[in-house]
Amino acid sequence: MKKRLFALALAGVLAAATLTGCGSLKGDETVATVDDTKIDADLANFFARYTQATYETYYSAYLGEDKWNSDASDGETYEESVKSSVLKSLEDMILLEKHMEDYDVSITDEDKAMIKETTQQFLNDNSLDDKNLVSGNEKTVNRALTLMAVQQKMRTAIQAGADTEVSDEEAAQKSMDYVFISYQTKDDSGNSKDVSDDEKAQLKSQAEAIASGLKEGGDLNALAEEQGATVQTLTFDKDTTSPDEDLIKAADALGEGESTDVIETEKGCYVAKVTSLLDRTATDSKKSKIVQERQKKLYDDTVKKWRKKADIKVHKGVWKKVSFQKVSVKMKTETQTPYTDQVQTDDRAQTDN
């Protein structure tokens, strides 16, 4: 079943592409080398175009019309940032492939059969023109899928070495019930606005009544109802920051069954009661998160160590030829009749010169 899901995941990634635009690239040019392994332009272009398609299909509305020229971070445009990430991922895949024997990982005959089937599906689902634009030839698609399979298997193998033992003490999650009385209200147009100082004083007195009632052994739900407030439940530890750091700090210092004084903020007042010092469900969930974080760190650190030892060279002039501004690539968004090497002639084929 795992093998089948693996094949379907790969098929879902590549068989969904419908491509537009125009451009050319010499596929045998070298974009980068990792030690003695060459990353050719076809392979780099194929991965770049898939990533580009994801952005153009799902994030164009957020990034704007001139998205690839807009600033991303550290002085890079979105195009430069995405391409840098793509190439680094490819370099990492090559490194993972080089270390397969270290983890007794291999691409089985069954894997190869699934990769071949998925490659053929991609070839059948896209026109010749579109495949040429993204270097989607059989050799390149097969190689890309193989590297993806290697990455998936190696990630699992490396992460298997992470420590999965997490104590209750390390993962302990407490729980509290709390009320929040807001200093904001809505105007006639539905916009938020601060209440007056007199209203703030009244609201704070309501919070003080709840805090006082809790100190006297009252029930938080009943006290909150009297003041028109709503009780909310939260699991937390000392590193929790939401909904308010002062609330967390105050509750974290209490024992089970103890309650806070009124905690006033710019937005309103909190009052809380600690209900458990070890919430079993939340603590177990935190343990799983800690294990996942350890696994990710082990994987990232392992690949980073290999990168430091590897001789990685980038041929910037070749890589620059892959331009997101000259070729537009998008994902399929509706079911279409498959075609193999026929030139696409309907209005889905657009040209960006």
Side-chain angles (χ1 to χ4, degrees):
M1 177 61 72
K2 178 183 286 189
K3 295 288 186 181
R4 182 60 180 164
L5 291 175
F6 159 70
L8 289 174
L10 294 182
V13 166
L14 295 178
T18 190
L19 318 166
T20 65
C22 64
S24 63
L25 186 72
K26 293 181 180 179
D28 60 353
E29 292 183 282
T30 300
V31 168
T33 55
V34 181
D35 294 326
D36 59 349
T37 301
K38 167 185 169 182
I39 298 175
D40 64 34
D42 269 349
L43 184 64
N45 186 46
F46 186 77
F47 271 104
R49 296 306 179 189
Y50 166 70
T51 306
Q52 178 189 359
T54 302
Y55 276 84
E56 294 203 4
T57 304
Y58 302 112
Y59 305 118
S60 285
Y62 302 99
L63 299 177
E65 292 184 6
D66 196 26
K67 52 187 168 293
W68 297 120
N69 276 322
S70 59
D71 292 333
S73 61
D74 299 327
E76 287 187 322
T77 65
Y78 264 100
E79 179 181 46
E80 291 168 339
S81 177
V82 170
K83 285 180 59 181
S84 176
S85 177
V86 166
L87 191 54
K88 181 179 180 298
S89 294
L90 258 175
E91 293 162 356
D92 289 348
M93 288 180 183
I94 299 298
L95 288 169
L96 289 164
E97 186 178 48
K98 287 178 175 292
H99 288 271
M100 288 170 66
E101 288 187 4
D102 299 348
Y103 291 85
D104 197 25
V105 168
S106 64
I107 298 298
T108 66
D109 289 342
E110 185 179 0
D111 295 331
K112 292 176 183 177
M114 292 177 182
I115 289 169
K116 182 177 180 180
E117 178 184 348
T118 305
T119 298
Q120 192 58 52
Q121 182 179 341
F122 174 85
L123 297 176
N124 291 343
D125 285 351
N126 292 279
S127 74
L128 179 59
D129 283 351
D130 289 346
K131 285 180 287 191
N132 286 340
L133 288 174
V134 298
S135 303
N137 56 72
E138 183 174 1
K139 177 183 176 183
T140 299
V141 177
N142 189 283
R143 177 64 173 148
L145 288 168
T146 299
L147 286 175
M148 291 168 66
V150 168
Q151 182 184 47
Q152 180 176 312
K153 288 191 162 194
M154 283 292 285
R155 185 187 299 275
T156 299
I158 293 169
Q159 291 182 343
D163 181 9
T164 58
E165 293 296 322
V166 183
S167 66
D168 279 351
E169 182 179 5
E170 182 179 0
Q173 297 293 292
K174 302 177 182 180
S175 62
M176 71 166 89
D177 288 339
Y178 73 94
V179 296
F180 175 62
I181 298 178
S182 178
Y183 283 166
Q184 292 188 320
T185 186
K186 300 284 187 181
D187 61 22
D188 294 339
S189 299
N191 300 314
S192 295
K193 68 172 186 177
D194 291 336
V195 299
S196 67
D197 289 342
D198 287 344
E199 289 172 312
K200 284 183 180 181
Q202 176 59 37
L203 291 169
K204 184 176 181 180
S205 70
Q206 292 178 232
E208 289 172 341
I210 294 174
S212 177
L214 282 174
K215 300 291 186 184
E216 296 172 0
D219 177 75
L220 178 57
N221 286 290
L223 292 166
E225 185 176 357
E226 290 176 5
Q227 302 300 332
T230 301
V231 177
Q232 302 181 66
T233 298
L234 175 73
T235 56
F236 68 99
D237 60 24
K238 62 181 178 60
D239 297 321
T240 303
T241 58
S242 180
D244 180 82
E245 291 185 9
D246 289 337
L247 168 66
I248 301 301
K249 183 178 180 180
D252 193 47
L254 300 176
E256 187 171 322
E258 295 181 336
S259 59
T260 68
D261 296 323
V262 173
I263 300 164
E264 187 175 16
T265 71
E266 289 184 359
K267 294 183 178 180
C269 296
Y270 291 94
V271 180
K273 178 179 180 178
V274 175
T275 56
S276 174
L277 297 181
L278 184 67
D279 184 288
R280 185 75 266 164
T281 300
T283 298
D284 288 344
S285 177
K286 181 68 173 182
K287 286 184 177 183
S288 296
K289 183 178 179 181
I290 290 173
V291 170
Q292 291 170 5
E293 289 171 349
R294 289 177 182 174
Q295 290 172 334
K296 182 180 184 303
K297 185 176 186 304
L298 177 60
Y299 175 82
D300 291 344
D301 288 349
T302 300
V303 177
K304 189 180 296 184
K305 178 182 66 177
W306 293 340
R307 287 187 68 88
K308 287 182 178 180
K309 293 181 179 180
D311 181 17
I312 300 175
K313 296 178 181 178
V314 177
H315 296 239
K316 295 182 180 179
V318 179
W319 189 218
K320 190 176 182 179
K321 294 179 183 179
V322 177
S323 171
F324 291 170
Q325 299 178 60
K326 292 182 179 178
V327 177
S328 176
V329 187
K330 293 185 178 181
M331 296 287 191
K332 280 184 180 173
T333 56
E334 60 185 46
T335 302
Q336 295 151 354
T337 302
Y339 50 89
T340 307
D341 289 338
Q342 298 175 357
V343 176
Q344 185 176 337
T345 58
D346 61 27
D347 61 4
R348 291 185 297 110
Q350 304 171 22
T351 300
D352 296 335
N353 293 308

